[in-house]
Amino acid sequence: LIMSVNPGFGGQKFIEGSEKKIKDAKEIIGNRKIIIQVDGGINQSNVKRVIKAGATNIVAGSAIFNEKNNYANAIMNLRY
């Protein structure tokens, strides 16, 4: 699990530069089948960068639940 915010509460902004942590983890892992999960500040404006950096799983809370009546659309917008 790579945290891309400071742990503690939801709704924080993604810490720019977290992609480097993801890339570094991916490099260390190599070809082994290890999941890289990223949690914090994930939204439709940064999800592609996070996946391209090497994340295999993402955690998105506010990006989904802030879309009060349209959770399905919010989830679709995060798919890459």
Side-chain angles (χ1 to χ4, degrees):
L1 173 63
I2 295 175
M3 293 299 296
S4 48
V5 295
N6 296 312
F9 59 93
Q12 295 182 59
K13 290 186 178 186
F14 183 80
I15 297 173
E16 294 304 323
S18 293
E19 295 99 323
K20 181 170 178 357
K21 283 198 265 183
I22 301 164
K23 287 177 184 177
D24 290 348
K26 182 69 177 167
E27 186 176 321
I28 291 167
I29 290 168
N31 292 328
R32 292 176 286 170
K33 294 187 179 194
I34 297 174
I35 294 169
I36 299 174
Q37 181 168 302
V38 180
D39 181 359
I42 305 296
N43 58 44
Q44 67 185 30
S45 69
N46 60 25
V47 68
K48 289 181 182 178
R49 289 184 293 148
V50 170
I51 298 297
K52 283 182 180 180
T56 51
N57 290 35
I58 60 163
V59 177
S62 297
I64 295 169
F65 296 110
N66 285 346
E67 296 294 325
K68 301 280 184 215
N69 296 316
N70 205 348
Y71 300 142
N73 189 48
I75 292 168
M76 290 302 294
N77 287 333
L78 291 172
R79 292 184 185 244
Y80 173 65

